[in-house]
Amino acid sequence: MVFPLRLRRRGGNKKEIIPVMCDSEIEIMIPAQFRCPISFDLMKDPVIMASGITYDRESIEKWIESGNKTCPVTNTVLKTFEQIPNHAIRKVIQDWCVEMGSNSGIQRIPTPRVPVTPQDASEICGKLLAAARRGDHQKCGEVVGKIKNLGKESERNKKCLRENGVGLALCVCFDAFVCSENAFLLEEVLSVLTWMFPIGSEGQTKITSAASLRCLAGFLRSMDDSVRRNAAFLLKELLASDETHVVTLAGVDGVAEAFVKLIRDALCVSSTKSSLTAIYHMISNNPKMVSKFLETGLVNLAVEIIVDAEKSLCEKALAVLDAICETREGKEEIGKNALVMPLLVKKMPKISELATMSSVSVIWKLCKTENAATAIEEAVRMGAFQKLLVVLQVGCRGGTKEKATELLKMMNPHVGKLEVGCVDSSMDFKYLKKPF
């Protein structure tokens, strides 16, 4: 059992140790030299800075990453940010933990691993690239496994590897073996690439070859859910960065069904977000994909998400509906769903500005179809006229203001003639700006 060790200030800068009682009512006092001068917590990985002061590595790194260039204690400018492990104090702290543990249950602080350096990252890149050129999949697997383990150790390691070209080396490796039957190696590379973004233009060139994109699309249908999640994330990032990849991906059989199935399976929120974002980019940049996604039941699925999903998911589902509405068949399919109009009206302007923009856009597109009169009357009955007034009062960007204004003109002749029901009384026009 581990007990929290806390400190508080009393009178100026004087620090007082707060004893923590264990089950046997033994007070635990942290020696001052064991505490980090920044966090006042027990140091787990003590390091010495150029000023000669010892800090916990995590605390001093956060201090430096925040833009500070001075020593927190001495306030002198640090000539170098090199962190030298203080093995002596760490050993003393570990011995103290062992001594206290016999009575209080305090666990011994594990010996920290040496963080990855830029030189280490460069050596890893060299080994991986050399093995990829030789076609040595076994050696590549060993290096990728090492990268994966280093990343698990700390976020600092991930950052160092990411900033020193490891992402590019992984993309080269993926592209080199994409036509092989070594699926395990490709899956391992894929899992590491998820925390390597941004990978740079050169890395994207390698990972977005026609063969690589087809392979990633194939991973969407994997029996391993983690592989499916990773593939969706990577495709989402690639499609967002360059719309030209949509053409290649659109030619892969079953890619639409794979994305929609990933959403329907609801593995996790992140996989649903990745899939919705990827679908949005595919439909926006290639309207011909709409018919394929309509066949999968995407409209009804997006509506289900909008009903009770959290903000970010709701925004993405609304954006997908807006993209689908760019085509005639898309508007017809959306118009068939009886829940669409009530939901669109309800979401204005409660969720967010992005959600409101998409909602207004979808309503505007539905009200400009062959069945415009029916859509307009339904929108008025749902209370859209009042909500659009609120949207204009709150303020909106892009073309939302113009669309809202045009909708109000369309709806105005019907206001008063139709019985308005289902108006969201919780709005109570609380968003309206006062005229004075």
Side-chain angles (χ1 to χ4, degrees):
M1 182 176 182
V2 179
F3 297 92
L5 305 175
R6 302 185 299 274
L7 290 139
R8 67 184 178 202
R9 294 181 181 275
R10 181 174 65 180
N13 293 322
K14 184 177 179 180
K15 305 177 188 67
E16 174 191 6
I17 297 177
I18 299 177
V20 180
M21 304 298 292
C22 67
D23 292 339
S24 57
E25 297 186 354
I26 298 176
E27 295 185 356
I28 305 172
M29 309 295 290
I30 311 176
Q33 66 270 27
F34 295 172
R35 294 182 277 114
C36 174
I38 297 176
S39 65
F40 302 129
D41 291 331
L42 189 69
M43 291 187 287
K44 298 177 181 179
D45 186 6
V47 293
I48 306 173
M49 299 302 293
S51 60
I53 305 298
T54 297
Y55 299 93
D56 188 68
R57 188 188 296 276
E58 182 179 358
S59 297
I60 193 63
E61 283 184 348
K62 288 181 179 179
W63 170 267
I64 295 171
E65 289 174 1
S66 298
N68 298 296
K69 299 180 179 180
T70 59
C71 171
V73 173
T74 64
N75 204 33
T76 57
V77 177
L78 295 171
K79 296 180 179 179
T80 175
F81 295 138
E82 182 182 4
Q83 301 161 19
I84 303 174
N86 192 332
H87 298 296
I89 189 66
R90 175 183 54 76
K91 184 64 170 61
V92 175
I93 292 174
Q94 289 177 326
D95 291 342
W96 177 79
C97 289
V98 171
E99 181 182 350
M100 296 300 298
S102 59
N103 297 319
S104 64
I106 293 179
Q107 296 179 356
R108 178 181 182 275
I109 294 175
T111 301
R113 295 180 180 273
V114 178
V116 176
T117 65
Q119 183 179 352
D120 295 332
S122 297
E123 292 177 358
I124 289 172
C125 286
K127 291 179 181 179
L128 186 57
L129 291 172
R133 284 194 296 269
R134 295 194 307 269
D136 188 345
H137 63 84
Q138 184 174 353
K139 183 61 177 179
C140 282
E142 293 176 2
V143 178
V144 173
K146 180 178 180 180
I147 296 171
K148 193 172 183 178
N149 291 331
L150 289 173
K152 288 179 180 179
E153 290 179 9
S154 68
E155 288 299 320
R156 184 185 189 281
N157 283 355
K158 286 184 178 181
K159 181 180 179 182
C160 183
L161 293 169
R162 185 166 53 242
E163 292 178 348
N164 289 278
V166 176
L168 171 58
L170 288 166
C171 291
V172 171
C173 179
F174 190 95
D175 187 58
F177 293 96
V178 73
C179 295
S180 69
E181 297 181 357
N182 198 321
F184 178 75
L185 172 60
L186 296 177
E187 290 171 1
E188 287 291 283
V189 173
L190 179 62
S191 68
V192 179
L193 277 174
T194 56
W195 46 268
M196 281 293 168
F197 278 82
I199 55 177
S201 57
E202 191 176 353
Q204 288 196 30
T205 300
K206 288 293 183 181
I207 200 69
T208 55
S209 65
S212 293
L213 285 175
R214 285 195 295 270
C215 179
L216 289 172
F219 281 146
L220 289 174
R221 299 187 291 272
S222 171
M223 298 298 292
D224 188 327
D225 289 341
S226 64
V227 174
R228 296 169 66 198
R229 287 195 298 267
N230 293 337
F233 172 83
L234 202 62
L235 286 170
K236 178 259 296 185
E237 292 291 330
L238 296 173
L239 292 174
S241 62
D242 191 343
E243 61 188 35
T244 60
H245 305 322
V246 172
V247 177
T248 302
L249 202 60
V252 179
D253 292 334
V255 68
E257 292 82 356
F259 271 123
V260 173
K261 187 177 187 304
L262 191 55
I263 297 174
R264 189 171 280 115
D265 290 346
L267 300 181
C268 62
V269 174
S270 62
S271 64
T272 302
K273 288 181 179 179
S274 295
S275 299
L276 285 171
T277 304
I279 290 171
Y280 170 78
H281 287 296
M282 293 180 71
I283 294 175
S284 298
N285 296 296
N286 189 357
K288 293 180 179 179
M289 288 292 296
V290 171
S291 59
K292 292 185 178 181
F293 279 107
L294 292 180
E295 293 172 1
T296 65
L298 176 61
V299 170
N300 293 337
L301 188 58
V303 170
E304 291 175 12
I305 293 173
I306 295 170
V307 171
D308 57 2
E310 51 97 6
K311 173 184 171 182
S312 182
L313 271 181
C314 188
E315 288 176 344
K316 289 174 172 55
L318 285 167
V320 167
L321 288 184
D322 190 24
I324 291 175
C325 271
E326 288 294 331
T327 66
R328 179 178 177 178
E329 59 180 332
K331 284 185 280 193
E332 290 176 354
E333 187 66 26
I334 289 175
K336 293 177 184 177
N337 193 304
L339 284 176
V340 168
M341 190 62 75
L343 279 174
L344 293 174
V345 174
K346 183 178 181 180
K347 297 304 177 181
M348 298 188 300
K350 278 189 170 183
I351 305 301
S352 67
E353 186 177 2
L354 288 175
T356 298
M357 290 172 65
S358 296
S359 298
V360 172
S361 181
V362 175
I363 295 174
W364 179 77
K365 291 171 183 176
L366 292 176
C367 290
K368 293 177 74 67
T369 61
E370 295 177 358
N371 299 320
T374 302
I376 292 171
E377 290 179 3
E378 183 183 7
V380 172
R381 287 195 183 97
M382 295 299 106
F385 190 86
Q386 293 86 344
K387 287 289 190 74
L388 288 168
L389 287 174
V390 173
V391 169
L392 289 178
Q393 284 288 320
V394 171
C396 44
R397 58 182 177 176
T400 305
K401 182 177 180 180
E402 290 73 17
K403 290 174 182 176
T405 302
E406 186 176 350
L407 283 171
L408 286 172
K409 291 178 181 179
M410 294 179 188
M411 296 177 185
N412 190 50
H414 301 274
V415 177
K417 297 180 182 179
L418 299 172
E419 182 180 350
V420 178
C422 301
V423 178
D424 190 355
S425 60
S426 64
M427 285 289 296
D428 198 25
F429 296 98
K430 61 183 178 180
Y431 296 103
L432 287 172
K433 296 178 181 178
K434 294 182 180 180
F436 50 84

